[in-house]
Amino acid sequence: MKSYRTLALRELSAQKVTSFLILIAVILSTMMTAAVGQSAGVLAAMREQQAIALGGNRYSTFVQLTEEQAQALEGDSRLSYTGRYIPLGTMKLNDILSLSLTEYWDDPTIIQPSYSRVREGRLPQAPMEIALPEDALQFLGLSGKIGDTVSLPLSKALRHGIEAIGYEYTGEFTLVGITESNFLGYTTGNILGLAGKGTAEQVLPQSHLYYNVDMKMVDKGSFQVVMDELYESLNIHPLDSLYNIPYLNAAGIRYSDEAADSDMTLDDDGFSYLLLVGVLTVALILLAAGLVIYNILKIAVSQRIRQYGALRAIGAERNQLYTVVTVEVLLLCVVGIPLGLALGLLSARGILTAALNQLPPEIFLTPDLGQLQELIAANSAGKWTYLLLSAIITLLFAFLAAAPAARYAARVSPVAAMSGTRFKIKRKNRRSGKTGSFERYYARLNLNRNKGRTAITVLSLVMSITVFITLQGIISLLSMSGAVPEHLGDYSVVNQAGGISPEEVSSLEETEVVEAVAAMQHSKYPLDEQYYPVGVETDFPLEEGETFQIFGLNDRWSDYELSDWLTEEQLMAFQAGEGCVVRNPIPLTYEGTEMFTNRIEAGTVLTIAGKTMPVLLAWERYDPYLSVGNAGFANGIEIIVSDKIYSALTGSDSYAELRPILAVGVNREDFDGVLDQLCQRIPGTTTVSYEQTDQQLRESEAQIKLLGWGLILFIGLIGILNIVNTVYTNIHTRIGEIGVQRAIGMSLESLYKTFLWEGGYYGLIAAAIGCTTGYLCSVLVGAAAAGELSLTAPPLAAMAESAGLSVLACLAATAIPLRKAAKLSIVDSIETVE
């Protein structure tokens, strides 16, 4: 023997079973970390893809910019992307939906992929060329033939939607393309049409010819800092910025919720809880892998303790024995880590690809399967950082797992090791009693006789159960479909001409397929020369350019709109007609001068139409606001009251918009007939179904859930293989013991029962502990979603699944190797050495 390193190589070849088990553990550990890294990368990329489909491939947008401001942005080295576009105006398709025509200077398929998928023809390139979605053509009543001239009456207002100075015109456009319908726009009431570059110069006056610029920053971490500096250096008002919140959240970019004028941002607490859950999950996975390696190696060293004692007796030093064990692990890692990396890549990509091939690509917001596979391939291949990190982590955990066993081998006493006495037997005073089942009793003794090994085996399984439960909670946080504004009800029914009578609303509520009807009333009043509303008495004037509106909400609508803003007592007072909610106007700047606006504070007592009522809540922000049929934001004062007092204030009891909520499992076609009859009875009534919008959102959310479940199932498979590995090692090292038990008269049936009970105990104990730790992690997941730490309902389904799988896995892991060991003859079992 040239060196102790040579002894390590010989030990690996001599100890074939143990070496194979350790090699499998190394491969599985590397495979797991590589697959998790790759799957996490694909999940993150798909999450960003989903966010881009919802809000565009941009971080933020500045609106209403001059040529000088747009050029300054395009020359800013802090911005990695700038793309101009010009809103050409909007037109009402009906009382619910509007068409927004936009001229993009860059390729719209890059910035707005979901709105620029061509079904027929091509995208516009020259001035006065347009491409419209299929549903827009249907609402316009056009046949949609390529080359047709389309006449569109458009209106463009300054201040990106706030009613100020508007311009109306009719444009004659050439239809060169038909794009796919995107029903996600129905929630905001907008359908996007595309126009060729140069169209704005031909249809808009100079006063309304301004630019919007989409942006992405070079440094994601400095996003808000750059935005603040641009506000100041270019003299841009924060209201003239639009944050792409779904994309910012998906990319993990921090921003100011005040600057974004939105409540959709994750606060610091939620972010820290989510980060803690992610770190904890990765730590649990790695710990589970390390425990398996440690357990197998510790058993292998224990089996060779006499050999190490002999080496110590002939002069081997501690560091040389330490070298033997560590070199064994290193050699196994040299073989196992490359194999694990390759298998991890194949597993991650294979699971995702196999699952995705079974579903239509539209679910993932991509036009065809080819692009979906390209997206997966682009985010599955070439992630060398993940692979290198996986290899380093596995190597580190392998050496950490080997360290206790190597230290144990190095510190062995030659006399104690060669004498065969490894531990002292201590017998405690025991009470005699009747044993109901010898097999269960003997299984419990086996668990207690080596508590360290039992603890490691159980802990390895606990890690897998905890990860399984935790990841199911994290999946709900990954989807970006929640970034789309919610809509109330399954349909929107609008009539702004004469309105819908209370009798029609009651008749609709009594329909069998309808669970409830949310109803809104609306009145908008012009101002006289003193800026008092004409048609209703108020004790306060407004300012120039403002509007005065009164909204009446029935109980179902007010529950949806106000329950998060008012206390229970305030909401009851509102629904009883004993108070109101006010949305104040936002300040406007015109030609460099900020215009004065009214401010009504909460607690103020207002008198409207002779009725006095307190203000329960005052909204000060751009959002939220109310409108009928997604009519858009109108700057001014909104008075929101219950429909019980609306008629007393306005003299009208008709409803402008209804939102029917269908009962679960009903046939929508039956209700469509009811709506058709309603539209025939009340001229001017328009309806929109949110069925396709909901379907598109469900499909979008299914994208993340499917990918996440692929990751969960993969990690669950790794956990089961770890259990098989550990339990197989335990049984294999006790083959001699099995032979002795059979020699003294134990039947094969009793032998099977003993070890199966032992495996069952492993599973039950691990399930109890794992479900507890998994629930604690799920509480952290809930805190990440809610932004505050609080107890949540236990995930009983996930707990039951993981507990059942753990018990079945332990029983299978026990039965499979036990069957082979039981087939050995008694003599062979006793004399078997590795």
Side-chain angles (χ1 to χ4, degrees):
M1 183 176 66
K2 297 180 180 180
S3 69
Y4 284 93
R5 290 187 292 274
T6 306
L7 175 61
L9 183 60
R10 291 182 177 180
E11 287 291 336
L12 289 179
S13 59
Q15 311 281 341
K16 292 183 177 60
V17 175
T18 300
S19 300
F20 176 75
L21 293 175
I22 297 175
L23 180 62
I24 292 297
V26 172
I27 292 175
L28 292 180
S29 178
T30 311
M31 180 179 173
M32 177 176 58
T33 53
V36 168
Q38 289 295 305
S39 298
V42 174
L43 280 171
M46 297 298 284
R47 187 171 184 249
E48 288 193 22
Q49 174 75 6
Q50 187 186 51
I52 289 172
L54 297 175
N57 190 10
R58 60 184 180 86
Y59 293 165
S60 60
T61 302
F62 281 141
V63 302
Q64 198 168 317
L65 301 181
T66 63
E67 174 67 27
E68 293 75 15
Q69 290 173 320
Q71 288 182 357
L73 289 174
E74 290 169 343
D76 198 316
S77 60
R78 296 169 297 179
L79 304 180
S80 61
Y81 171 82
T82 54
R84 292 198 204 189
Y85 70 92
I86 304 176
L88 301 178
T90 62
M91 68 167 293
K92 292 185 65 174
L93 299 175
N94 53 41
D95 289 338
I96 304 172
L97 298 175
S98 297
L99 171 66
S100 297
L101 193 62
T102 302
E103 172 191 320
Y104 280 95
W105 283 28
D106 290 339
D107 185 357
T109 60
I110 298 175
I111 197 68
Q112 292 287 359
S114 297
Y115 294 89
S116 53
R117 296 175 188 158
V118 178
R119 182 170 292 277
E120 184 179 351
R122 60 174 174 84
L123 293 177
Q125 300 172 351
M128 305 307 292
E129 293 183 345
I130 63 171
L132 297 178
E134 289 179 294
D135 52 347
L137 293 172
Q138 294 173 2
F139 286 117
L140 289 170
L142 301 177
S143 60
K145 294 182 179 179
I146 301 300
D148 285 354
T149 298
V150 179
S151 179
L152 299 178
L154 300 170
S155 174
K156 182 173 182 179
L158 298 179
R159 300 294 300 178
H160 55 86
I162 300 174
E163 291 189 0
I165 303 173
Y167 173 73
E168 297 182 355
Y169 68 97
T170 299
E172 301 293 331
F173 304 96
T174 301
L175 184 67
V176 298
I178 301 174
T179 57
E180 296 180 2
S181 302
N182 190 331
F183 302 103
L184 296 178
Y186 283 23
T187 58
T188 57
N190 283 309
I191 297 176
L192 180 64
L194 305 175
K197 185 177 180 180
T199 303
E201 294 181 354
Q202 298 191 19
V203 299
L204 293 177
Q206 192 63 36
S207 60
H208 285 68
L209 186 59
Y210 58 81
Y211 304 98
N212 295 358
V213 178
D214 294 323
M215 301 174 294
K216 297 180 76 172
M217 280 62 179
V218 175
D219 182 9
K220 295 180 180 181
S222 62
F223 168 78
Q224 191 60 58
V225 174
V226 173
M227 290 293 293
D228 293 338
E229 292 176 353
L230 291 175
Y231 288 144
E232 183 176 355
S233 62
L234 298 181
N235 193 26
I236 299 175
H237 195 282
L239 287 176
D240 286 334
S241 65
L242 303 174
Y243 285 51
N244 187 4
I245 296 175
Y247 194 10
L248 294 177
N249 286 341
I253 299 175
R254 307 298 294 165
Y255 59 92
S256 167
D257 58 344
E258 182 178 355
D261 195 27
S262 173
D263 297 324
M264 293 174 60
T265 179
L266 296 174
D267 57 30
D268 292 336
D269 291 337
F271 178 78
S272 61
Y273 283 128
L274 184 57
L275 180 62
L276 176 61
V277 171
V279 172
L280 180 60
T281 301
V282 173
L284 291 175
I285 293 172
L286 295 175
L287 182 58
L291 286 173
V292 173
I293 297 174
Y294 164 76
N295 195 20
I296 298 173
L297 197 58
K298 181 65 181 295
I299 295 171
V301 171
S302 299
Q303 295 296 313
R304 302 199 300 264
I305 200 67
R306 290 188 178 184
Q307 175 184 327
Y308 293 137
L311 291 174
R312 288 295 310 278
I314 63 176
E317 298 179 359
R318 289 186 176 183
N319 62 334
Q320 291 173 323
L321 295 183
Y322 199 97
T323 300
V324 172
V325 178
T326 53
V327 168
E328 288 182 20
V329 175
L330 180 60
L331 291 174
L332 292 172
C333 287
V334 168
V335 177
I337 288 179
L339 289 175
L341 293 176
L343 291 175
L345 286 173
L346 293 175
S347 299
R349 187 173 179 181
I351 289 175
L352 295 175
T353 303
L356 301 180
N357 284 339
Q358 305 303 315
L359 298 171
E362 291 79 8
I363 289 182
F364 305 95
L365 305 178
T366 55
D368 54 56
L369 187 59
Q371 288 195 20
L372 180 59
Q373 292 176 339
E374 289 177 6
L375 179 66
I376 296 174
N379 291 279
S380 297
K383 300 294 185 180
W384 301 112
T385 302
Y386 283 127
L387 300 181
L388 180 61
L389 185 61
S390 300
I392 293 174
I393 289 175
T394 302
L395 190 62
L396 177 62
F397 268 77
F399 277 111
L400 289 176
R407 189 180 302 111
Y408 177 59
R411 293 181 177 180
V412 64
S413 168
V415 177
M418 296 180 67
S419 66
T421 305
R422 304 178 201 171
F423 50 84
K424 295 182 179 180
I425 300 176
K426 298 180 180 179
R427 298 192 181 275
K428 299 179 181 179
N429 295 329
R430 298 178 180 177
R431 293 179 298 176
S432 60
K434 185 177 181 181
T435 301
S437 171
F438 170 76
E439 290 82 5
R440 289 202 304 269
Y441 174 74
Y442 190 35
R444 290 196 298 269
L445 289 181
N446 287 337
L447 294 179
N448 291 326
R449 70 176 184 174
N450 195 326
K451 295 181 180 179
R453 184 185 302 175
T454 299
I456 292 172
T457 304
V458 170
L459 190 56
S460 176
L461 183 54
V462 166
M463 299 300 103
S464 298
I465 295 173
T466 303
V467 169
F468 182 85
I469 296 174
T470 303
L471 282 180
Q472 292 195 53
I474 292 179
I475 287 178
S476 62
L477 299 180
L478 293 176
S479 178
M480 297 307 303
S481 61
V484 179
E486 293 183 0
H487 62 81
L488 173 61
D490 297 294
Y491 291 80
S492 177
V493 183
V494 174
N495 187 302
Q496 298 191 71
I500 303 172
S501 67
E503 292 75 21
E504 290 285 0
V505 177
S506 299
S507 175
L508 200 60
E509 289 176 329
E510 293 172 359
T511 306
E512 292 183 358
V513 297
V514 175
E515 179 182 320
V517 176
M520 174 192 289
Q521 299 164 309
H522 176 243
S523 295
K524 184 177 181 180
Y525 299 92
L527 306 183
D528 60 20
E529 296 179 355
Q530 286 75 39
Y531 306 119
Y532 280 91
V534 177
V536 62
E537 278 189 31
T538 63
D539 58 353
F540 57 90
L542 280 76
E543 297 297 325
E544 183 179 4
E546 295 180 352
T547 62
F548 183 77
Q549 302 177 77
I550 299 178
F551 289 88
L553 307 180
N554 72 346
D555 291 351
R556 186 64 183 84
W557 201 308
S558 61
D559 283 337
Y560 170 81
E561 194 73 46
L562 303 176
S563 59
D564 291 336
W565 297 89
L566 300 178
T567 65
E568 186 176 349
E569 293 76 12
Q570 288 176 326
L571 184 59
M572 292 177 61
F574 176 89
Q575 294 178 344
E578 299 172 356
C580 67
V581 173
V582 174
R583 200 205 61 78
N584 284 310
I586 62 174
L588 299 179
T589 301
Y590 182 66
E591 295 183 353
T593 303
E594 185 170 314
M595 303 170 61
F596 177 79
T597 57
N598 282 287
R599 279 291 176 274
I600 300 176
E601 304 292 338
T604 304
V605 177
L606 300 181
T607 301
I608 302 176
K611 182 173 179 58
T612 301
M613 68 187 97
V615 177
L616 303 174
L617 170 68
W619 283 327
E620 300 288 343
R621 304 176 60 170
Y622 175 84
D623 185 29
Y625 66 88
L626 295 181
S627 67
V628 177
N630 293 312
F633 174 69
N635 196 34
I637 293 180
E638 294 179 0
I639 306 296
I640 305 164
V641 298
S642 169
D643 63 347
K644 297 180 179 64
I645 62 170
Y646 175 84
S647 60
L649 301 180
T650 64
S652 171
D653 61 357
S654 62
Y655 291 86
E657 182 173 6
L658 308 180
R659 295 289 183 90
I661 303 169
L662 302 188
V664 178
V666 302
N667 188 348
R668 281 181 175 265
E669 294 181 358
D670 295 339
F671 185 70
D672 290 339
V674 174
L675 286 185
D676 290 341
Q677 296 176 8
L678 177 66
C679 293
Q680 293 175 5
R681 292 194 302 269
I682 309 175
T685 301
T686 57
T687 65
V688 166
S689 171
Y690 291 122
E691 179 180 11
Q692 292 170 312
T693 301
D694 294 337
Q695 178 65 22
Q696 194 166 352
L697 284 175
R698 285 193 296 268
E699 292 173 348
S700 173
E701 188 173 1
Q703 163 193 354
I704 295 297
K705 286 189 174 181
L706 181 63
L707 297 178
W709 268 105
L711 181 58
I712 285 178
L713 293 177
F714 179 76
I715 291 177
L717 176 62
I718 295 295
I720 291 174
L721 292 176
N722 281 342
I723 298 164
V724 174
N725 230 350
T726 304
V727 177
Y728 183 89
T729 304
N730 287 341
I731 293 179
H732 179 78
T733 56
R734 289 156 62 179
I735 289 179
E737 176 185 322
I738 293 174
V740 173
Q741 290 172 336
R742 292 180 61 197
I744 62 177
M746 177 177 281
S747 65
L748 284 176
E749 180 182 358
S750 182
L751 179 67
Y752 271 111
K753 286 183 179 180
T754 299
F755 278 91
L756 287 175
W757 271 112
E758 188 174 338
Y761 281 132
Y762 280 133
L764 292 173
I765 296 172
I769 301 174
C771 288
T772 303
T773 55
Y775 171 66
L776 295 177
C777 290
S778 68
V779 169
L780 294 178
V781 172
E788 60 180 1
L789 183 62
S790 61
L791 294 179
T792 58
L796 298 179
M799 289 181 176
E801 292 171 4
S802 59
L805 287 174
S806 67
V807 174
L808 290 176
C810 286
L811 293 177
T814 303
I816 294 172
L818 180 60
R819 182 181 180 184
K820 181 179 180 181
K823 288 182 178 180
L824 292 174
S825 67
I826 296 175
V827 176
D828 291 339
S829 298
I830 296 175
E831 294 182 348
T832 294
V833 292
E834 194 177 7

